[in-house]
Every structure is written in C-alpha cells, then in structure tokens.
Amino acid sequence: MSSTTDMSTDTGSVLEKTRDDRSADDVVLRLEDLVVEFPAGAGQVVHAVSGINLEVRRGETLGLVGESGCGKSTTGRAIMQLPRPTGGSVHFDGRDLAALSPEEVRKLRPKLQMIFQDPISSLNPRRRIPDIVGDPLVVWGRGADKDKVVPDVLRAVGLDPDQVADRRPHQFSGGQCQRVSIARALVLEPEVLICDEPVSALDVSVQAQILNLLEDMKARYGLTLVFIAHDLGVVRNISDRVAVMYLGRICELGPTEALFDAPVHPYTRLLVSSIPSMEGAQRGEVGTGEMPSPVSPPSGCRFRTRCPLATDRCADEVPQMREVAPGRFTACHHPVLDTAVGEPIAPAVTAVPTTPLTASNGAGSNGAGSNGAASSRTES
Amino acid sequence: MTRPTDTAPTTVAAEAAGRHRAANAAGDARPAKGDLLTVDDVHVRFHTRNGVVHAVEGVSLTLREGEVLAVVGESGSGKTVFTRRVMGLISGSRETDVEGTVTFDGITLSDLDAKGLAGVWGKEIALVLQDPMTSLNPVKRIGAQITETLVLHHKLSKQDANARAVELLRSVGLSEPERRVRQYPHELSGGMRQRVTIAIALSCSPRLLLADEPTTALDVTVQAQILDLLGDLQSRLGMAMLLVTHDLRVVRSRSDRIAVMYAGRIVETAPTKDLFDAPRMPYTEALMNAVPPITGPNHVRLAVIPGRPPNLLSPPSGCRFSPRCPYAQDRCLTEEPPLRPASELPGGGIEGHSYRCWYPVGTPENAEARRRNVERGETAAGTPVTGEMVPA
Amino acid sequence: MPDIRKTSTQSLEKVSATDTDALDSEVTSVDLDLVEPITGNTATEPVKARRTRTPIGWYLAWFWIAAVVISAIFAPLLPLWDPAVPDYNNVFGGITPEHWLGGDTLGRDNLSRIIYGARASLLVGICAVLLGAVVGGILGMMAGYFRGRTERVLSLVTDVVLAFPGLVLIIAIVAILGASLTNLIVGLAILSVPTFIRLARATTLVVTQREFVHAARAYGAKPMRIILREIAPNVVMPIAAYGFIMVGVFIVVEGSLSFLGLGIPPPTPSWGGMIAGGRTQLIEYPHISLIPAAVMFLTVLAINYVGERSRKLFEVRESNL
C-alpha cells in the first residue's frame, strides 16, 4: 500500500465534538494521530499503530480491545512514552508529552502509571515485596514515607503487610503478584492507570478478584483507567466506553453496552459474536481468515480482507472516524446500524445518516496534512 | 454449527466414516459396546524435593465412540497431567508413580511400552496440542510433514500422498492448499498452523482425537473458527474427541459431556446441558459465576471464589474445595465426599450426572448450609461469607 | 502423524522429568495466602518424598576445594617447612616422614610449596576473574541496557580483544611491565573482560524485556538506578557461575605461563613454576613435576565439576521464577 493512504487517518477533532461536550479539562488524556512503527529488519517496517485519535475522560474506564497484534498494548506503552511514539502526540493533563524533554516526561511519570500482563515477570525476583512497592517512593525522594505509605497500600490491595515483609515474588501466586504490582502502581497516587492485560495470565477464579480490586482502587484513589485486554467479557464488565482496535487503527468507539449489544463496525460484530458464551451457543456469524501482518497492512480499510461487506471503495479509501449515533463513532464505509448481534447484517448501506464532518475534518487532518490524500477523502 | 469455509466434504472424510462403520459392523470382541476409551482409577504422583505431589487422584472416565467429552479445570487441577498420562507421555519412573489403567478399544495402553504405543498413535489416536509450533517440524515443508505419515502407514506412492495432503489441507479449511504444501510452518499464522496440525492428525483417520487446549494460544475470532472446524470434522468423521480446556465457555456448545477437575480429582461430571442447567458441585457453580457476563449491564460486581487452587503438596483434608466453598460445614473439613450419582437426589437428577459434595447445590441441605454460614459470617473453614459471594 | 508420535516415544522419560520440575515450581511457591486465609486442615500424606540422590563426586569436589582453599589461607599457621629454604638432605627426596611429598631439585619441601603455591594460583585465578567480572559486567549491562552507540563501541572493543591471541597479549604485558603477580592478574583480567561483557550484555537483553524493568522506567527510575537495582541482581548469578569456571581456567593458564617462565617469578612458589622446576629431572624423579600437576588437575576438575553442576541447578531455579 502507498504511504499516502496509510498516513491519513481518523480525525481528532471529531472526537473533541463529543455530544455531551464536556469542558476541556475533563479530558485527562488525549491521543492525536498517534503512530508507532518498528523496524522489522530487511528495511521493512511494522505499522503497529497507524494514527489513533482517542480521548480519555477523567474518572472513566476506557477499554481498549482487540486481538493480538492489533496494537493495543503498543498504544498503552506509547501513552507511557515507553518507547516514545514515532509520530503524533499524547496530551496528558493538557501537556503534550512529545514536546517535553525526557527529564520533563520523567517528572510527570508519577501521575501516569501502568500494570502489566505477566504478574510474575512484573516483579524483580531478587527483591523483597516492601522494597518493590516502596521503590517508586525512594526514586522520588520520599523514602522516609516508605514505612508509613507502603503498609497502607498493601492493605488496600488486600495483602497483609506483616506477612509479606520478608517475602520475595516467587513465594506468591499469580493473583497475589498482581496485587503487589497494583500496589506499586498506586503508591505514587497516579491520576491515570494503564492496565495492560492485567488478568489474562490469571485463572478464572482469581481474575474476578483482581477485577473487583481494580474497581475498588479506582473508587478509592479516584483513578482514570485505560484497560487493555483481548477478553471481551472482562472489558465489557469494567469499561464505561470501549475502543475496538484492528491492525493499528481504531474501528469503533462507543459506550460499552451499546457497543456490545449492537456493534456498528463489521469487525466489532465478528469479535462480539466470536465470544464463547456461558449462556449458550454462538451468537452469530463466525468469520474467516486472520489478521494480516502489520508489516504490509491492506490499503484502505484494514479490515476489508475479512469483511463480508467490503466493496471497491474500502480498498481505495481509508474510512474516517465519524459519529453514527450519539456518542458512537466508527471508521467504516458500510456501518451496520440498528441490527443486534446474531441478526443477519444488511450490506449496501450507502446513505448513512451521519453527522457532517467536513468542517472538523479539514481541521483534523492536519496530522496528515502533508499528503493530499486526506482532502479527497470526505464524501460529498 | 456453521462451517467456517467453503470447502466441500472430501473423500477423506467419507472414507474414514465408512471405515469406522465397517469396523463396528464387524463387531469383533469389543468390551462394552461403544466404549472407546476407558480410564480406570488413574493416579499420578510426583516425588519432588519438597514432598509428594498427588497430581491425579483416582480419575475414571469413559469415552464412547463418536462422543465429545470435555475435561475442564484451572491450573493445578491436574487436567494436563491426566491428559499426558492418557497419552502415555507420563510413565512410571523413580520420581513418578502411576496407577490405574487406560484402555483404548480393548488395548490396555497403560501396559504398552513406547514401541507398542507407537503402533496405536497416529493410526487410531491423534493429538492436537496447544502450541502448534511444538508439534510441527520447523525445518520441513508442510506437505512433507503430512505425506511422511501417509507414505509410512498407508504405503501410498509419493504422488498420491501429495494429492492427499492437498486434499487434507483443503478439508481443514486452508486456503490455497497447493501453495501451502510448499511452505514452512513459520510462514503460516497461528490459526493456519493449528489447521495443519489438525490435518496431520486426520491423515490416518483416527478414531479418537485428543485436543489439549487446542485454541488457548489463538485469538478469539480464530478460536471460534478452529473449534467449529474440530466439531465439524468430529461429527462428519464420527471421531470421538477428548477436549481438554480451562475455559468452561468454549465447551458449552461443543461437547456432549463435561468432567470438571479440581485438585487432581473429578468433582463433577454430567451431560453438558445438565451441567450448565443444574450444577451440583459448588465449585462448578462458582466457576460459572466468576466469568464476566457478556450480556447485561457493565460494572457488575463479580462473584469471587476466595483463595486460590490448593497446593497439591499438602491438599486440604476432607473436601478439596472446602477452604474456598461458601457452603462448607464441619463435615466437609474432615470427610471427603465420594462421587455420587445425581439420580439419587430427591429432585431426581439426570442419568450420568455425578458430583462430589455433601451439600449439593439446589438441595434443601445446601440452602440450609448457606443460611448457617451467612448467619455466622464465615464457613466452617473460616472463610468469610457475605451475601454477595454467590447469587442466591 | 510422525512428529507427534516421535515426541511421544522419544520423550517418555524426558516429559515426566520436566513435568516434575514444572510441578516443583508450582508447589515451591509458599503456601501463603494473606487475603484469603486457607485453613490449616491439610491431609498429611504418609508417602515419603524420594529425593534425587546427590552424586558422591559433588561432595568429593567440595571437599577437595575446601581443603585447598583452607590450607592456602592458613598456610603460615600450619606446621610446614619454609617453602623457600632448601633442606640439602631432601634434594630429589622421596616420600619420608619429614617430607610427606618429598623434595624438589633444591631440596625444598614439596608439600609446603604446593600449599604456598595454591595461594599464588588461587590469588591469580580469583582476582583476575573478579576484576574481569566487575569491569565486564558493568560494561556489558550498559551495552545491553542503553543499546545504540554504547553497544556498538563495546562490541567493537570486545571483538578486537577476542581476536587478539591471548598468550601474545600476556607475553606483551609481561615483557613491557615485567613479570609480577599484579601484572599477571591485570593481563588475565583484560583477557576475560570481553567474555564477561558478552555474557552480561546477553543476560541484560533478556532481563530488560521483563516487565519489572518497564515498571521501573514507568515510575521514573533513572537508568543507573535501574541497572544497579533491577538488572544487576539478575545478572550476577550467571556471571558468578561462569566466573567460577573461569577460576579453574585461569589456574591452568597461570600454570602454563609459569611453566614458560612468564608467570610468577621465583622463588615465590606456584604450581606452574613447580612443574617447570621438575621437568629436567622428569625421567629420574617424576614426582617433582607430577605431584603439583596432579594437584592442579584435581583442583581444576573439582572447580569445573562444581561450577557446571551449580550452573545447572541455578538454571532450573531461574526458570522457575
């Protein structure tokens, strides 16, 4: 695919015009045209994240869901500036992290914390639990508070500080290690907690404990959560809004229940209907094929190779993010409207009643402004 | 069940089904009619530096021809060790004690040595593992890996074997099979590799397919495809299938019977529908409730199973689940419940449903045990009980 | 399905063994549940644990190492002859009640010289390895953590030093700076640094991928803190295991150099010097060379055996973490 089509993506300004138009300081984290690429050897490039626009509101839980290789974890790490993204910007509390020096970014880190997938690997096997949890305090010159703060945090995550005092990580189960990780992330009292697959390495019976704990901690510490996971049931339960990613792009964004009950993007429909359900049989169609390699993603809409509704237009034009219903955004030329999961989908959706985006589109395509492709994209 | 691809039923499938029917019609000295795999009182103990791990304790199962039996358990439940024992991958040694018998179609597998097992493996029993990379040879072309068996077991000519390989790949829904046979495993995606291992497993028309977490390493959309493929092939070829998994949800619509394992034992076994409709063992019930629902409102407080799976070095006395069970009474801490048929229950359970509990879910005894525990705020094992623990 | 069958038949024993390991790791995690106290009602199994027997060689090797090290440390306190003073009744002397291992070409006591020689040999081996491991370890961790230019420069240096013949380097150092214990140690340390850099770099690359390192960066720890607090403790063990084996190698190297006259200058006793000293009389009085040679052989064998086995044990334990 040509680099021109690749560059132009959904527009940030669409998202700014969310329906209930809250005040700007309500948004704690804003991603604009975020691009992350890695060299893949032999001169090739992995397009891990290709232009994402996303806003996270203060106090909400935003779920980021997709299959492995869709770039969701890369997005999480790009927010943390670990490593710094290739392009675009991450605004945290109104400050553009890309424009800051490494030292300035470091100074902001206590407000932006992360927990990881593998609970065992998240903890240094050679250090004791209180040292692990207290280390962020020492780093920020608050080592003196350690004896006071660490036991409090440990108790908050459901661990007995006296009993963990001399223990090392390998003496704990996965669920307990994840509690320690959460305690370490909370000890600096962050504003935003990015959870990268925090329960996928745990047994079902332990998963629920950690999910409940995250909800408790969110309330107690007033956190904003970005919850990255591939398990849709888990994401559905914990998130206020969900963004679905496919091959480095967001294909749908909306309030959790609406998005799961009546997905608009064909990929979301496939994803939701693939969930094995406790209630009974599969809820709908089973797709074919697998996600193409992010080294050479398809042109136009990246889902078109597996999409039952794909047309020629999908190969030529990158679909723009647009609001198809209040609060619901999708990047699709043929969104499926008013159809619950499991019902057959009607293709041939040509005249979609969408919010006209021309004005905001012009402003929003500034990230891709260098190439002319973006301007010809809007439908008249 | 939806067919994932547009491929037509192949002659491979038809032949295999025919072969099985013929074999059945011949009716040679089969033990119980229709019983293909019988596992009787299997124990596996590992002697470790820290003591004895009783990984599998007295597991008995029967798998009938053409049936799909799912073995479900969390990590540490012993399901993996059990499956490996059935496969013959674990045998007695200085560090390992094995007991009990595994019988396949009148042959006692557990008595066979490696050579004897090799005669049954591949021909009669095939295997699909969690990570397809481990069962595929990374430096051999896909085609060669399939034809190898065909040439060996079926004495096919090179040309016929190649044609058959292409046909097999098509039957498992691989696109462009002619091109795939010339590719190496690393050129395929995870789902495609799993399809190849399934094709290899089917190449000798086995009568039993052991699938050990076949989709755990795959993405959810691919997982659905592979499970559908397995179910489809199973019913077309009339194979029996032993499906081992940690996820109750994936077997809901894809198994005839389910055996739930906990701490090395089978704690409940029942026809699939019955298990989901009326679980008797509190662990099964808790496992179902712990999975976040995909319908209904979000931010639901999830039902939690307190604690974690037991340490098999020093398992709890009495019922193995008692320290985590919301209904636990004094009796549960001292006496281990036997596997009892549900048909003896006053409500009249379904045939083939049995469970291991003194206070089975859905009985007055259970309600009484729960009431008592909620009243004193903790179970007999000292685990705190709150109203929210299990939806009443 | 040939591959699967192959796995099943070939790995019959292997699988059961690894399985025990896997289980082992699971069960070694201490039964400690703080959130949800699991009650103490556990059924104690009457079956006794069958331990894998430790081979007798393990104890013998440790015994030999301990004997050499302890006698070397306490040599001045032991009732030994002075290693430098000749006893003219003991020239080429055999085994006698006064001289348990006989005497050398000048009549000096062999036992005494072997024990004092152990001091020199061990000192060279241990100091050179320590010096090399510390320098190489730090440089290797920096290469592995920072990557980029640091790594490229260090790799180049490593490749150059490794391409240089070791013996020639030592000869050059001794020729320029003169033969002394310090120069020998420095020379050997320089030789070992590249290998330690490579080992530390490779281990660091693996450790850096682990999530606790990401976490430390995420909460704002600075690079030097991450290297010292998070990475170093995980790099020390593989380096130590390799260093142990290198001590054995360096004892042999010191012996070879002393044999060539490039090692510790006489009259300070060293094993290599003693072997060299007896070589002219090898036919008539072979014990003068053979006894120190045997001691060196046994010491290096014991060190290698212990090093190799503890490395394996350590690897198993690591994989469990």
Side-chain angles (χ1 to χ4, degrees), chain B residues 86-104:
Chain B
V86 171
M87 293 175 199
L89 292 175
I90 293 177
S91 50
S93 70
R94 207 158 56 82
E95 291 92 19
T96 316
D97 287 343
V98 293
E99 275 172 44
T101 54
V102 180
T103 319
F104 174 78

Side-chain angles (χ1 to χ4, degrees), chain B residues 37 39 56 59-63 68-74 77-83 86 210-214 241-248 250-251 254-262 265-270 272 275 287:
Chain B
L37 180 77
V39 177
V56 176
V59 169
S60 302
L61 281 177
T62 309
L63 184 58
V68 182
L69 173 65
V71 175
V72 178
E74 293 182 276
S77 64
K79 65 176 191 307
T80 307
V81 175
F82 169 71
T83 321
V86 171
L210 289 180
D212 186 8
E213 302 265 12
M241 183 153 77
L242 190 67
L243 184 61
V244 182
T245 176
H246 69 282
D247 191 346
L248 257 179
V250 308
V251 295
R254 295 181 168 91
S255 62
D256 301 314
R257 275 193 306 137
I258 294 181
V260 180
M261 283 189 77
Y262 186 77
R265 288 191 181 281
I266 289 186
V267 292
E268 183 160 16
T269 170
T272 304
L275 187 89
L287 209 52

Side-chain angles (χ1 to χ4, degrees), chain B residues 257-316:
Chain B
R257 275 193 306 137
I258 294 181
V260 180
M261 283 189 77
Y262 186 77
R265 288 191 181 281
I266 289 186
V267 292
E268 183 160 16
T269 170
T272 304
K273 188 179 177 313
D274 199 42
L275 187 89
F276 279 89
D277 290 350
R280 295 300 189 181
M281 175 69 194
Y283 174 65
T284 316
E285 185 197 38
L287 209 52
M288 290 176 183
N289 288 333
V291 178
I294 53 157
T295 51
N298 52 352
H299 294 301
V300 177
R301 194 85 187 156
L302 294 167
V304 158
I305 310 181
R308 58 190 173 106
N311 184 338
L312 292 178
L313 262 180
S314 51

Side-chain angles (χ1 to χ4, degrees), chain A residues 115-130:
Chain A
I115 52 177
F116 299 88
Q117 172 172 7
D118 182 348
I120 314 282
S121 159
S122 293
L123 307 178
N124 190 338
R126 310 242 166 250
R127 303 186 73 183
R128 290 169 211 284
I129 300 298

Side-chain angles (χ1 to χ4, degrees), chain A residues 262-276:
Chain A
V264 170
H265 195 286
Y267 176 62
T268 317
R269 300 187 68 83
L270 171 64
L271 206 56
V272 170
S273 62
S274 301
I275 313 176

